[in-house]
Amino acid sequence: MASSSEPNRDSAAAAGSESNGALASSIPAAVPERRKVALVAGITGQDGSYLTEFLLGKGYEVHGLIRRSSNFNTARLDHIYVDPHNSSKARMKLHYADLSDASSLRRWVDSLLPDEVYNLAAQSHVAVSFEIPDYTADVVGTGALRLLEAVRSSSASSGRTIRYYQAGSSEMFGSTPPPQSETSAFHPRSPYAAAKVAAHWYTVNYREAYGLFACNGILFNHESPRRGENFVTRKITRAVGRIHVGLQTKLFLGNLSAARDWGFAGDYVEAMWLMLQQDEPGDYVVATDESHTVQEFLEAAFGYVGLDWKDHVVIDKRYFRPAEVDSLKGDSSKARKQLGWKPKVGFQELVKMMVDRDVELAKREKVLVDAGYIDAQQQP
C-alpha cells in the first residue's frame, strides 16, 4: 500500500516534464519488442512438435494449423500446450485450416502476418500414397501451391517479407544412385514422392517468379520417439518393447534390404530454422550422410534389449512397395558449410532413444493388460 507521501513522486515527475518542455515530449515511450511470429502447417506431427519447442525456445510466438477431427490429435503438443485464455503464457496457439482449403490458408496468413511460414503438413506415408494417390497429390503438391500463393498474396498486399520453408523429402530422389545432393536428379517412385517433387518446384518457381524468400529442405529420413507407429522404424521399436515385456511375439515387415539415411528429427528442425535466417533463400539437403538397412535397424533395436530379431520377424509380401526405393544416402555438405549445421544424434543413439521410450510404453500397457483394462491381442 502506498503512503500518503508517495504520490509526490508523480508530482515531481510531472513538474520535471514541464520544466524540460519539448525535450521530454520528444522522448518516445518504450515499446515492447515484437516477438517473431511463426505459422506452422503440420504442427501436430513429429517435426511440427519439435519445431514448435525449438521456436518457443527462441522466443517466437507460434501459431499452428490443424485439421478438424472428432478426436483430439494434439498428443505431441500436450506438454507445451497452454490454454489460450491464459494469454500471458500461451505463446503457441492452434487454428483450424487445411491445405485443401485455400481460403482458410489465406485468412490465417493475412490475420497473423507471420514472419516465417513452415509447411510441414502432408499425407506423409509412402505406402499409403499408393492407396490414396489423388488425396496425396492434392494435399502434398497442390496444398503447397495454395500455401505459397497465400504467402505471396499476403506479402504483396501488406508489403511485409514472409519467409517460407517447404519440407521436401529424400523420397524425391527415388532410384537416383546415392549419395544424393541438391544437384542430384529427382526420380520419384511413389505418388507421395511425385507430389513432393511438385511442391519443390512450386517453391522454386515462386522464389524465381515473385522474389519470395522460399527455401526447400530436402530432409532424409528422420525419426524419434514421436514418430508415427505405422512408419517402419517406430513399428520396429514399438514391437521390441511389446515383445520384451511379453505382449507380442511376432513382427511383420517387408523389404529388409532397403537402406536409408536415418537421423533424429529434433536435430533436423534446427536446419529448417537456419535456412530462413540466411541472407538469401536456397535449397538444402539435410542428412547424416550415413546409410543403414532395415535389417541393421532390426539388429540394433532387438540387440539393445538382448533379443535376436530373427526369432520374431516374419516377412509379409503385403509390405513390399509397388516400386521400391533401394538406397538413400544424403550429401549434406552444403548445409554443413553454409548453415553451420550438423547432426548431434548418431544412428545407435537414435535407436536406443526410441527403444527406451517404447519399452516404457509397453510396460505401462502391460499394467493395463494385466489388470484387465485392455486386450493385448492386436498382434500375434
Side-chain angles (χ1 to χ4, degrees), residues 118-374:
Y118 296 84
N119 182 21
L120 313 183
Q123 188 302 99
S124 59
H125 199 282
V126 174
V128 173
S129 75
F130 285 100
E131 300 187 29
I132 50 172
D134 290 4
Y135 174 79
T136 300
D138 183 50
V139 171
V140 177
T142 310
L145 177 61
R146 294 184 186 105
L147 187 52
L148 279 162
E149 179 60 17
V151 169
R152 184 203 66 78
S153 299
S154 185
S155 296
S157 60
S158 67
R160 299 178 71 256
T161 297
I162 301 176
R163 300 190 170 204
Y164 176 90
Y165 171 81
Q166 171 62 36
S169 169
S170 59
E171 290 286 335
M172 298 189 299
F173 295 117
S175 59
T176 299
Q180 296 99 357
S181 71
E182 296 83 2
T183 59
S184 299
F186 295 139
H187 190 151
R189 299 272 284 171
S190 67
Y192 166 76
K196 278 293 187 182
V197 170
H200 176 96
W201 287 117
Y202 285 141
T203 303
V204 171
N205 178 252
Y206 269 65
R207 183 170 68 216
E208 295 177 350
Y210 303 112
L212 204 66
F213 193 107
C215 300
N216 284 295
I218 307 173
L219 273 58
F220 280 64
N221 294 64
H222 43 291
E223 318 297 317
S224 77
R226 301 179 193 174
R227 188 58 143 155
E229 292 186 21
N230 59 349
F231 288 83
V232 67
T233 53
R234 187 74 196 289
K235 184 177 179 180
I236 290 171
T237 60
R238 190 76 171 93
V240 168
R242 298 183 90 248
I243 291 170
H244 181 66
V245 301
L247 292 177
Q248 186 173 326
T249 61
K250 299 297 181 183
L251 168 61
F252 297 89
L253 294 174
N255 182 10
L256 303 190
S257 63
R260 296 292 183 269
D261 186 327
W262 279 305
F264 174 51
D267 289 342
Y268 285 29
V269 299
E270 180 185 17
M272 300 177 189
W273 176 79
L274 285 169
M275 291 177 205
L276 299 194
Q277 312 314 307
Q278 304 306 301
D279 293 334
E280 299 293 334
D283 305 325
Y284 300 85
V285 161
V286 181
T288 69
D289 300 359
E290 297 180 8
S291 186
H292 299 272
T293 64
V294 175
Q295 181 172 321
E296 288 178 88
F297 197 101
L298 284 169
E299 292 168 350
F302 277 87
Y304 181 52
V305 295
L307 296 172
D308 186 343
W309 67 271
K310 295 176 184 176
D311 296 333
H312 303 281
V313 173
V314 178
I315 302 302
D316 188 334
K317 291 183 178 179
R318 78 181 71 183
Y319 296 120
F320 283 80
R321 297 182 185 180
E324 185 57 77
V325 173
D326 295 320
S327 182
L328 296 174
K329 179 183 177 182
D331 173 3
S332 61
S333 54
K334 179 182 176 181
R336 295 177 190 235
K337 181 179 180 180
Q338 295 189 13
L339 304 181
W341 174 89
K342 64 179 180 180
K344 302 178 181 68
V345 177
F347 176 73
Q348 293 292 338
E349 185 181 354
L350 172 64
V351 174
K352 291 176 181 178
M353 177 196 305
M354 295 176 67
V355 171
D356 282 340
R357 175 69 180 90
D358 282 331
V359 167
E360 287 303 311
L361 191 62
K363 288 178 179 178
R364 297 180 193 178
E365 187 179 359
K366 191 173 190 304
V367 171
L368 297 175
V369 171
D370 291 345
Y373 289 112
I374 62 173

Side-chain angles (χ1 to χ4, degrees), residues 1-11:
M1 179 77 67
S3 67
S4 58
S5 63
E6 286 182 339
N8 290 334
R9 293 180 300 179
D10 298 330
S11 301

Side-chain angles (χ1 to χ4, degrees), residues 65-68 95-99 101 104-105 107-108:
L65 302 183
I66 62 173
R67 291 172 297 162
R68 193 267 169 188
H95 313 280
Y96 286 117
D98 198 294
L99 288 185
D101 180 10
S104 67
L105 301 177
R107 180 171 66 253
W108 288 118

